[in-house]
Amino acid sequence: MSRSPEVKWAQRIDKVYITVLLPDARDVKVNQEPDGTFTFSATAGAASNFYELKLELFDKVNKEESKINVGVRSIFCVIEKAEKQWWKKLVGGEGKTPHYVKVDWDKWVDEDDDGIFLRVILFVMFFFKKMAHSDVGFGGMDFRNVHLICLFLQILNQLICGSDV
């Protein structure tokens, strides 16, 4: 009898991230079909337990552009969507999402907040800060507090996105 591994997922408009949490997995087999069928199997643990899952994803995927990375603690899949659109959920159909599939809040970005806006603001602030300290300058504009604004936005970005600029 097979077991189901824990699965986490997140998405962007053009891709889905699927992480299969299975430390020390051996004989890993991951397959995806253009129609959205995602299958996984592996053995793990001291007793060489067999794990497998089959997910019918919400929509079609681009198999050729997708990537799979087998790590020591997990299997990370970046699956390119066939159409750039936000999915309502990971699996299609009217049924419930399996209990072992959970949202990966570390990677999750809301549809209306793809992180672009904050990155643009940070870039503009970085640009103005650099210009204020260069010979080019902006002829008479006061940039004395730009560094404080930049620092604030960098800290805010770390809190929201969990990453450095």
Side-chain angles (χ1 to χ4, degrees), residues 14-142:
D14 59 339
K15 63 187 63 133
V16 174
Y17 301 118
I18 297 178
T19 305
V20 180
L21 301 171
L22 192 60
D24 302 320
R26 298 177 306 278
D27 303 321
V28 175
K29 293 181 182 79
V30 180
N31 189 37
Q32 56 184 340
E33 296 299 326
D35 69 353
T37 303
F38 177 87
T39 57
F40 168 86
S41 66
T43 57
S48 292
N49 295 315
F50 183 67
Y51 291 83
E52 69 179 340
L53 64 90
K54 180 178 180 180
L55 299 172
E56 299 295 336
L57 301 180
F58 186 79
D59 206 350
K60 296 177 181 170
V61 299
N62 185 340
K63 181 178 180 175
E64 292 77 29
E65 297 295 320
S66 299
K67 297 170 183 64
I68 299 166
N69 181 28
V70 179
V72 176
R73 304 204 53 74
S74 62
I75 296 83
F76 183 63
C77 307
V78 180
I79 298 175
E80 295 290 328
K81 297 176 181 176
E83 294 182 33
K84 290 185 178 183
Q85 64 181 7
W86 291 93
W87 292 359
K88 295 176 185 163
K89 55 186 182 172
L90 178 63
V91 294
E94 297 298 319
K96 292 177 97 178
T97 301
H99 67 90
Y100 52 84
V101 176
K102 298 177 177 28
V103 172
D104 189 342
W105 294 114
D106 293 333
K107 292 181 181 69
W108 191 265
V109 174
D110 285 331
E111 181 176 348
D112 58 349
D113 179 28
D114 204 1
I116 300 291
F117 180 72
L118 187 56
R119 289 185 188 100
V120 169
I121 290 174
L122 288 172
F123 173 78
V124 169
M125 295 308 297
F126 176 79
F127 174 76
F128 280 115
K129 182 179 178 185
K130 287 294 183 188
M131 291 304 291
H133 296 293
S134 73
D135 292 337
V136 178
F138 284 102
M141 294 180 76
D142 185 10

